[in-house]
C-alpha cells in the first residue's frame, strides 16, 4: 500500500497552513505493529472551528502538525485483529480516539479515554495535546481500535449520495447535539445558542430535532444569522447595543430560557460597541444570567488550559473570571468537555438517512479540494457562513 502518494494539510505556525507530501500511514504505533487498526482512503474531511484556534496561534500546537480530526473514509487495509470492519467499507471516524478497554470507554465516556494519550485523558487526530496522532486532512490516514471506533454506513451508494451530511457525523453534528442534550433540550424547550458558526448551527438544527419550541441564535456575523434564520431560528445580532435579556424578552415574552448552549468558547468577544474586544468569560457569564433557575447549560465550545494569545496572564492559563455564585444560586447544571461521538453517531446517521434532519443544508456545506484547504481556512477565519468539507481525491470547482 505504501506506494500511494499521500498529502496533508500542515500547520506552519501562526496563521499559516500548507498542503504538502506526508508519509503514507502504516499500521503501527511507534515501533509496535497496530493490528487493531485500519488504513483509510479519505473520502471527506472537514475544517473545524477548533482547527482555527490552532492556526490562529491560540494554542501551543507545534508547527509541522498534520491537521484534521473530522474524517470519513473507505477502508483499504485492515490489521490482523480487525474482525468486523472489512476492506471496501465506507466509515465515519469519531474524532475521539478511544481504546474501548479502559474504565471511561466502558462507561461510554469515549472523549476521555485513558489509554490513547500519555499526557491526559482523551485524544484526537491532528490536534494539540491530544496524543500526537496524525490528522486526517489528507489523502490517507490510519485509524486504531477500528472495530470499536468506526461507524460503518449500511449502504455505500446511499451514503455517498448523502455524504455532505454524513461527513458531519465525525464531530460537528454530534457535538452540537451533545450541547443540546446536556443543556436539557426537549419538546417545548426554549433554547439560546451562543454562536452561529458550524457547531452553533448544528446545535440549532439539533434543538429542532429534539423538539424545541423556540431556538434563538446569537452571533455577530450577519451571514451566519441569515443562515440560522433559513431553517427557522430566531436571531440576535450581538454587535447591536442593548440588553440581551430585553431582546430575549421581545422574542419569548420571558427574560430567561430553559436551556443555553455555548458554541463559542474561549475566544469570545464582548457585545455591543465593545464587540471588537475579547472577553473570554462573557458567554459563560451570560449563560448563568439568561438561563432560568434549575435550567441546564451545555458547553461544547472549546476552553483550553493554555492560551498564548489571551488578553491577560490568568486567561493565558485558562483561568477565567466567572460569576459562579449566580449559577450556584440558580441551581444550574453545567456540562463541559469533548463530545463522546459514539454516544450519538449511529442515531444521528439514521436521522440523516431517513431525512429527519438536513444538516448539510443547515450548516451550508461547501465542498473544496485538498489544494483549496488553505483558502478554506482563510475564508472560515473571515466569518464565512459555511462548513468547509474537503474531498482530497478530486478537484472541486
Amino acid at each position: 500500500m505504501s506506494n500511494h502518494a499521500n498529502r496533508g494539510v500542515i500547520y506552519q505556525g501562526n496563521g499559516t497552513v500548507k498542503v504538502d507530501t506526508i508519509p503514507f500511514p502504516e499500521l503501527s504505533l511507534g515501533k509496535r505493529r497496530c493490528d487493531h487498526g485500519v488504513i483509510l482512503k479519505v473520502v471527506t474531511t472537514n475544517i473545524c472551528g477548533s482547527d482555527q484556534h490552532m492556526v490562529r496561534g491560540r494554542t501551543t500546537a507545534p508547527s509541522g502538525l498534520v491537521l484534521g480530526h473530522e474524517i470519513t473514509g473507505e477502508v483499504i487495509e485492515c490489521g490482523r485483529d480487525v474482525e468486523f470492519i472489512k476492506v471496501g467499507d465506507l466509515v465515519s471516524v469519531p474524532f475521539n480516539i478511544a481504546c474501548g478497554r479502559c474504565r471511561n470507554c466502558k462507561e461510554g465516556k469515549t472523549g476521555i479515554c485513558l489509554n490513547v494519550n500519555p499526557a491526559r485523558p482523551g485524544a484526537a487526530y491532528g490536534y494539540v495535546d491530544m496524543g500526537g496522532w496524525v490528522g486526517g486532512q489528507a489523502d490517507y490516514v490510519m485509524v486504531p481500535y477500528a472495530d470499536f471506533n468506526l461507524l460503518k454506513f449500511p449502504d455505500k451508494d446511499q451514503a455517498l449520495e448523502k455524504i455532505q451530511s454524513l461527513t458531519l457525523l465525525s464531530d460537528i453534528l454530534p457535538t452540537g447535539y451533545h450541547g443540546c442534550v446536556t443543556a436539557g433540550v426537549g419538546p417545548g424547550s426554549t433554547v439560546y445558542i451562543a454562536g452561529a458558526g458550524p457547531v452553533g448551527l448544528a446545535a440549532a438544527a439539533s434543538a429542532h430535532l429534539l423538539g424545541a419550541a423556540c431556538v434563538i441564535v446569537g452571533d455577530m456575523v450577519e451571514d451566519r444569522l441569515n443562515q440560522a434564520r433559513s431553517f427557522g431560528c430566531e436571531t440576535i445580532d450581538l454587535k447591536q447595543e442593548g440588553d440581551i435579556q430585553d431582546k430575549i424578552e421581545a422574542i419569548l415574552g420571558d427574560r430567561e430560557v430553559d436551556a443555553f448552549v455555548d458554541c463559542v468558547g474561549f475566544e469570545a468577544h464582548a457585545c455591543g460597541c465593545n464587540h471588537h474586544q475579547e472577553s473570554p468569560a462573557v458567554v459563560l457569564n451570560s449563560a448563568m444570567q439568561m438561563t432560568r433557575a434549575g435550567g441546564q447549560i451545555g458547553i461544547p465550545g472549546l476552553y483550553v488550559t493554555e492560551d498564548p494569545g489571551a488578553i491577560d496572564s490568568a486567561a493565558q492559563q485558562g483561568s477565567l473570571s466567572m460569576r459562579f455564585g449566580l449559577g450556584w444560586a440558580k441551581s444550574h447544571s453545567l456540562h463541559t468537555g469533548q463530545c463522546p461521538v459514539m454516544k450519538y453517531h449511529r442515531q444521528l446517521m439514521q436521522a440523516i438517512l431517513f431525512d429527519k434532519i438536513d444538516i448539510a443544508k443547515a450548516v451550508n456545506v461547501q465542498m473544496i479540494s485538498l489544494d483549496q484547504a488553505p483558502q478554506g481556512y482563510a475564508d472560515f477565519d473571515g466569518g464565512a457562513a459555511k462548513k468547509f468539507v474537503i474531498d482530497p481525491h478530486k478537484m472541486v470547482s
Side-chain angles (χ1 to χ4, degrees):
M1 289 292 183
S2 59
N3 59 345
H4 287 279
N6 194 23
R7 298 189 305 154
V9 179
I10 303 171
Y11 173 58
Q12 297 293 293
N14 194 353
T16 306
V17 299
K18 75 171 182 178
V19 179
D20 207 347
T21 301
I22 60 173
F24 190 85
E26 297 180 356
L27 291 174
S28 62
L29 298 172
K31 297 181 179 179
R32 180 165 60 90
R33 182 165 172 80
C34 182
D35 285 314
H36 49 68
V38 300
I39 294 174
L40 299 182
K41 177 182 178 181
V42 177
V43 172
T44 53
T45 179
N46 316 326
I47 298 176
C48 181
S50 297
D51 296 324
Q52 292 286 13
H53 294 306
M54 291 185 290
V55 173
R56 292 189 194 112
R58 298 299 296 267
T59 72
T60 55
S63 61
L65 179 68
V66 180
L67 298 169
H69 55 271
E70 302 190 24
I71 307 164
T72 303
E74 179 183 357
V75 178
I76 62 170
E77 183 178 350
C78 291
R80 179 194 63 195
D81 296 337
V82 177
E83 294 186 66
F84 306 111
I85 297 293
K86 307 298 182 186
V87 170
D89 287 347
L90 187 64
V91 295
S92 178
V93 185
F95 79 90
N96 327 106
I97 302 169
C99 72
R101 296 151 168 80
C102 71
R103 172 183 176 175
N104 283 348
C105 283
K106 289 180 179 181
E107 293 177 358
K109 301 171 183 175
T110 54
I112 43 174
C113 174
L114 300 174
N115 289 330
V116 287
N117 182 354
R120 63 174 71 170
Y125 305 89
Y127 206 82
V128 60
D129 296 331
M130 290 283 102
W133 297 85
V134 176
Q137 287 173 15
D139 292 306
Y140 301 91
V141 70
M142 195 278 282
V143 173
Y145 306 104
D147 280 326
F148 182 65
N149 282 283
L150 296 179
L151 174 66
K152 176 186 172 182
F153 297 130
D155 184 307
K156 191 172 183 179
D157 291 336
Q158 179 196 30
L160 288 171
E161 290 178 1
K162 291 181 176 286
I163 197 65
Q164 291 189 14
S165 285
L166 293 172
T167 187
L168 305 178
L169 289 172
S170 57
D171 180 357
I172 169 182
L173 178 54
T175 292
Y177 189 85
H178 178 64
C180 289
V181 169
T182 56
V185 177
S189 296
T190 58
V191 186
Y192 183 85
I193 309 288
V199 169
L201 294 169
S206 297
H208 286 305
L209 185 64
L210 288 163
C214 183
V215 181
I216 304 169
V217 179
D219 200 278
M220 300 182 185
V221 179
E222 184 61 25
D223 285 349
R224 291 181 170 186
L225 294 174
N226 285 335
Q227 186 63 27
R229 285 190 287 268
S230 75
F231 59 95
C233 300
E234 302 289 337
T235 60
I236 294 176
D237 184 347
L238 299 175
K239 288 192 297 186
Q240 302 300 316
E241 288 296 306
D243 186 289
I244 192 168
Q245 287 190 279
D246 290 342
K247 298 175 183 180
I248 294 288
E249 187 173 19
I251 296 169
L252 294 178
D254 196 326
R255 298 179 65 80
E256 296 176 321
V257 294
D258 298 324
F260 188 109
V261 187
D262 173 5
C263 298
V264 178
F266 73 105
E267 287 194 64
H269 284 65
C271 300
C273 62
N274 296 317
H275 68 269
H276 295 297
Q277 299 176 9
E278 283 205 12
S279 181
V282 68
V283 177
L284 298 173
N285 284 319
S286 294
M288 291 182 285
Q289 183 180 16
M290 292 164 55
T291 305
R292 69 172 178 85
Q296 294 172 219
I297 300 167
I299 311 175
L302 177 67
Y303 290 87
V304 293
T305 55
E306 293 183 72
D307 174 9
I311 58 173
D312 57 50
S313 58
Q316 287 173 8
Q317 301 300 315
S319 296
L320 307 182
S321 181
M322 292 172 57
R323 193 181 173 195
F324 191 71
L326 177 61
W328 191 94
K330 294 173 77 174
S331 293
H332 286 154
S333 299
L334 291 83
H335 195 105
T336 67
Q338 293 183 13
C339 167
V341 169
M342 276 189 275
K343 186 174 182 178
Y344 308 108
H345 66 173
R346 184 174 299 278
Q347 303 96 301
L348 292 172
M349 174 188 72
Q350 293 288 80
I352 291 168
L353 292 177
F354 286 92
D355 298 319
K356 297 302 181 185
I357 186 171
D358 189 346
I359 189 62
K361 184 177 180 181
V363 305
N364 196 17
V365 160
Q366 178 171 330
M367 301 291 290
I368 61 175
S369 70
L370 194 62
D371 287 315
Q372 292 170 315
Q375 185 60 48
Y377 270 91
D379 291 344
F380 193 173
D381 196 42
K386 297 180 175 73
K387 175 65 170 178
F388 291 98
V389 174
I390 300 169
D391 178 345
H393 293 279
K394 67 177 180 180
M395 292 299 297
V396 180
S397 60

